Amino acid sequence: MKLLVVGTGSIGRRHARLARERAEVAVHDSDGARAQTVAADLGVMMFTDMDRALEWRPDAAVVATPHAHHVPIAGQLIEAGCRVLVEKPLADRMDTETAELVEQAGTPVPRLYVVCNMRFHPGPATLNRYLHEIGEPWFARAHFGQWLPDMRPQADYRTLYCARSEAGGGVVLDAIHEIDYLMWLFGPVRTAGGVTARRSDLEIDVEDYAAIQLQHDNGVRAEIHLDYLQACKRRGCELVGSEGTLLWESEGADPEHCRVRLFRRDRGDWQTLYESQGVDADAMYRALLHRFLDASGGEPPADLLDGRMALMELAVALAVKNGTALNAGAEG
């Protein structure tokens, strides 16, 4: 199998490195010097322009460029016959081109997926595995926070896509993972709203704080807190239901300490379901890539995010980011 990785920043490099285990890999980037360096380091092919890359006839592709470029590049790849995995989010705007891409890629079989690596993280994956233990789910509280300058210590944070509005930055789209895994757990969102702000003196022109409220079609209420402000990277989620509580807590990065616990009313104590002092970040990306490369026709695997659902998640995120309420049905 031939896999083309478009975009050779830190995440594109990770995809290319891990994909070598399963495919013949080539990379392409508008920054030719960076692409050449990555190709040489990883021992993969490199193309200087997209036309030459498509002449190579890749079977599949990963798009790991800034958000604003996802849709046109993915459209070009799908037109050429590739199955495409796009880094989250699907896009930085809802427009005709984005909707047409999803429609084009969804028939007759899904050919567009969006990176949802947190579904393969031991935190959300364990929540999903044990969700039945809490009975009828009532509400969820999810959070993510990290000091933005620490996100890529080797780079000036002001140059990162997530710090710049013209690149589709801001914590809401960058941390769309929380919206994604909650929709994975509880299904489509009926109503969404929230507030965003720039609370710090960081040199950015996007929001570094968001407080989001969701109501899912099944009645579950969810609250999400996102920020670029915390001194220590933290992520987690609490799920509360009629029979008990699930609690996922992660702290730090490299190493990331992660623990998931369950409290059942009938047992009256906490049970540790998963614990690690050093989560393997490569493992979730590897599992995601393998699932994507294995997907062939028919319905997408339940733990992959297809274009249709990614479009729904984007609508939720943009409603919050733009300060407009999303109401997909009468509130119950």
Side-chain angles (χ1 to χ4, degrees), residues 17 57 63 66 76 81 88 109 134 146 200 254 264 329 331:
R17 173 171 57 82
R57 300 182 65 82
V63 178
Q76 188 177 3
K88 56 80 187 171
V109 294
I134 66 170
Q146 181 176 23
S200 70
D254 249 352
R264 289 267 312 193
E331 183 175 352

Side-chain angles (χ1 to χ4, degrees), residues 66-316:
H67 306 159
H69 305 299
H70 285 177
V71 169
I73 294 173
Q76 188 177 3
L77 290 162
I78 287 170
E79 184 68 27
C82 293
R83 283 183 293 116
V84 178
L85 178 66
V86 180
E87 260 299 325
K88 56 80 187 171
L90 173 61
D92 64 344
R93 63 181 66 87
M94 291 285 288
D95 57 16
T96 302
E97 187 180 9
T98 305
E100 287 177 348
L101 171 67
V102 172
E103 183 176 358
Q104 172 194 9
T107 56
V109 294
R111 287 186 291 154
L112 175 67
Y113 301 93
V114 177
V115 170
C116 53
N117 56 285
M118 291 305 295
R119 298 184 183 196
F120 296 86
H121 184 286
T126 304
L127 295 180
N128 183 58
R129 189 175 308 120
Y130 289 90
L131 183 60
H132 65 281
E133 290 278 359
I134 66 170
E136 178 189 355
W138 287 339
F139 69 86
R141 286 194 289 251
H143 67 90
F144 163 79
Q146 181 176 23
W147 182 234
L148 180 59
D150 291 342
M151 184 175 292
R152 299 281 185 268
Q154 72 281 10
D156 182 341
Y157 76 89
R158 293 168 294 187
T159 67
L160 301 177
Y161 76 87
C162 50
R164 298 177 289 122
S165 61
E166 53 89 16
V171 74
V172 173
L173 288 179
D174 186 39
I176 199 171
H177 291 296
E178 273 57 39
I179 294 172
D180 172 65
Y181 73 68
L182 287 171
M183 291 181 68
W184 181 47
L185 292 172
F186 302 122
V189 168
R190 177 178 299 179
T191 62
V195 295
T196 64
R198 186 163 70 86
R199 300 300 309 275
S200 70
D201 59 0
L202 291 169
E203 296 179 51
I204 60 177
D205 63 354
V206 291
E207 80 281 352
D208 57 17
Y209 168 91
I212 303 169
Q213 300 83 41
L214 307 177
Q215 182 188 9
H216 295 266
D217 280 354
N218 65 357
V220 172
R221 305 292 183 116
E223 304 165 11
I224 305 173
H225 173 94
L226 308 172
D227 72 70
Y228 284 149
L229 308 174
Q230 296 190 46
C232 174
K233 183 178 181 181
R234 296 179 62 245
R235 199 168 216 148
C237 187
E238 177 185 26
L239 309 181
V240 176
S242 59
E243 303 301 324
T245 298
L246 279 164
L247 182 62
W248 158 42
E249 303 164 295
S250 279
E251 292 186 357
D254 249 352
E256 175 190 342
H257 303 160
C258 175
R259 181 171 65 165
V260 184
R261 296 183 292 158
L262 167 68
F263 189 98
R264 289 267 312 193
R265 294 183 191 278
D266 54 359
R267 289 197 291 263
D269 60 2
W270 287 100
Q271 175 189 359
T272 298
L273 305 175
Y274 174 89
E275 187 163 13
S276 173
Q277 296 301 307
V279 173
D280 180 2
D282 275 355
M284 58 180 169
Y285 285 97
R286 180 179 290 109
L288 169 64
L289 275 170
H290 286 200
R291 193 61 53 87
F292 166 65
L293 294 174
D294 288 339
S296 57
E299 291 296 315
D303 49 7
L304 282 187
L305 175 62
D306 68 355
R308 179 187 57 83
M309 186 61 74
L311 194 65
M312 295 173 61
E313 293 179 1
L314 180 62
V316 172

